Amino acid sequence: MSDQTEIRHNLIVSASPHIYDGENIPRIMWAVVLSLVPAGIAGAFAFGYYCLSVIFLCCLASVVTEAGILILRKQPIVPTIKDGSAVVTGVLLAYTLPPSVPWYVPVVGSFFAIAVVKHCFGGLGNNIWNPALAARAFLQVAYPAVMNSDWRILEHGIGNLVHSITKMDPAGKLVDAITRATPLTKEAGAETYTLAKLIMGNVPGCIGETSVIALLLGGAFLIYKRYIKWYVPVYYIVTMFVMALILPPRAVTPWANNPWYHIFSGGLFLGAFFMATDMVTSPLAKRGLIIFAIGAGVLTALIRFYSGYPEGVCYSILLMNTATPLIDRYTKPRLYGTGVKKG
């Protein structure tokens, strides 16, 4: 009996091909959190330190919800909390929210992401959709006024690094902040931004999506660590670029057929590097991942060009998440010695 117990503790059972390289879920998840730090700093600089409160609220609500659900499911709490997956969901959700969002929106969104999208399907590794994006879509429906308006950007220089976006003057009016249309707003007369501002992140938008440079830094780190595949964001972004060149625009805006404006605006880089590469909700094989990325790029372009919604990254990735089992069915590698030989 003692020999059997010793053998059970020394064996690591996993799916084929049974190669163990020392990586594990906590190491990957915390690396993802680290890679998202530059985008958070850029968001705090652009929109004020209230953004840090939103990020903290999302992470705290995600972790607390995860602990509560684990208690209800009578599963161990500490190992799951320490793996960092709830924190990743919290950070990603916060990065998709407007910078001045009320405190209850991050809390409700985090609860939905963890309790409904993640644990209703069995927890980490079993969810169909990316939890952060599904929660973002839910909040879009639940709080449309909050999620679609009040885009702000601080008026400060390099010397005044960070302000509070909620700072009020004695009359109760906001100071140090003004509201502007986001770069993808389709209304006639909406402000158009330079590519330099789009790349730097000095434009209105969600907390973690505006700075292309910061997102590229984080994405490059994950590619270097081999936690994500380089071809997923590349195919996604290039597909969006090509579609913006060839699609006839419906909206009359100066940037309608400017592919550079499209790829540097909105949440494309955040979605391409940090959400389309989700190991759980994306296909397994390389061919499937490429199909997934191209499909997300096509859907993003179609939504941006022909729907009333200015952004398409969230819904395009969620739709491709839904198609992932079908993609896997036709692209997963044939097991050696099985199937029909050609020729």
Side-chain angles (χ1 to χ4, degrees):
M1 185 66 181
S2 59
D3 291 342
Q4 291 176 353
T5 304
E6 185 178 350
I7 290 172
R8 190 182 307 125
H9 287 192
N10 289 335
L11 291 177
I12 298 175
V13 180
S14 63
S16 61
H18 305 294
I19 297 175
Y20 180 68
D21 64 358
E23 296 293 353
N24 52 49
I25 292 174
R27 183 176 297 181
I28 295 173
M29 291 296 172
W30 288 113
V32 174
V33 173
L34 180 63
S35 71
L36 287 165
V37 169
I41 294 173
F45 175 75
F47 305 121
Y49 58 73
Y50 178 73
C51 298
L52 301 178
S53 306
V54 175
I55 297 171
F56 175 75
L57 264 179
C58 283
C59 293
L60 180 63
S62 296
V63 171
V64 170
T65 302
E66 178 120 280
I69 298 295
L70 290 171
I71 292 173
L72 291 175
R73 297 180 62 193
K74 298 180 180 178
Q75 292 191 357
I77 300 174
V78 175
T80 306
I81 296 298
K82 287 173 68 177
D83 70 17
S85 60
V87 177
V88 170
T89 298
V91 175
L92 287 176
L93 174 61
Y95 282 13
T96 66
L97 298 178
S100 57
V101 67
W103 66 269
Y104 55 86
V105 174
V107 173
V108 173
S110 301
F111 176 83
F112 184 85
I114 300 297
V116 178
V117 184
K118 184 176 178 181
H119 279 282
C120 279
F121 293 91
L124 182 64
N126 298 296
N127 48 292
I128 299 173
W129 299 286
N130 181 291
L133 282 180
R136 210 290 178 188
F138 169 76
L139 293 174
Q140 182 73 33
V141 177
Y143 306 103
V146 172
M147 299 295 289
N148 294 325
S149 62
D150 209 8
W151 302 101
R152 299 175 183 179
I153 187 167
L154 295 180
E155 289 293 297
H156 58 55
I158 299 297
N160 301 317
L161 287 179
V162 178
H163 292 259
S164 170
I165 202 167
T166 56
K167 186 177 179 182
M168 302 285 182
D169 65 9
K173 296 181 179 179
L174 275 170
V175 294
D176 294 338
I178 58 174
T179 61
R180 294 176 179 169
T182 62
L184 292 173
T185 299
K186 299 174 183 175
E187 281 79 8
E191 185 174 358
T192 300
Y193 299 90
T194 64
L195 292 183
K197 283 190 173 182
L198 292 175
I199 293 172
M200 293 297 295
N202 189 24
V203 294
C206 295
I207 291 174
E209 72 175 19
T210 56
S211 176
V212 173
I213 291 180
L215 293 168
L216 275 176
L217 280 175
F221 171 71
L222 293 180
I223 292 172
Y224 169 74
K225 296 292 289 183
R226 298 184 178 181
Y227 292 153
I228 65 173
K229 307 297 184 184
W230 65 267
Y231 41 83
V232 175
V234 168
Y235 273 94
Y236 191 169
I237 294 169
V238 170
T239 301
M240 181 66 225
F241 186 93
V242 174
M243 295 292 288
L245 272 178
I246 62 177
L247 283 179
R250 193 182 73 170
V252 182
T253 58
W255 47 266
N257 268 124
N258 184 342
W260 297 106
Y261 197 92
H262 275 282
I263 64 172
F264 293 139
S265 302
L268 185 61
F269 274 71
L270 178 64
F273 281 96
F274 297 96
M275 294 166 174
T277 54
D278 183 359
M279 297 177 183
V280 176
T281 57
S282 58
L284 299 172
K286 179 178 180 179
R287 194 154 52 106
L289 285 170
I290 292 174
I291 294 172
F292 182 96
I294 293 174
V298 170
L299 289 172
T300 301
L302 291 176
I303 294 171
R304 283 187 180 182
F305 273 71
Y306 302 117
S307 78
Y309 191 56
E311 178 59 283
V313 172
C314 173
Y315 293 105
S316 65
I317 295 177
L318 288 174
L319 287 170
M320 293 309 296
N321 287 159
T322 309
T324 292
L326 184 65
I327 297 173
D328 273 337
R329 181 177 179 182
Y330 292 103
T331 60
K332 64 182 179 182
R334 182 173 60 88
L335 293 177
Y336 183 73
T338 64
V340 180
K341 253 184 191 177
K342 292 183 179 178

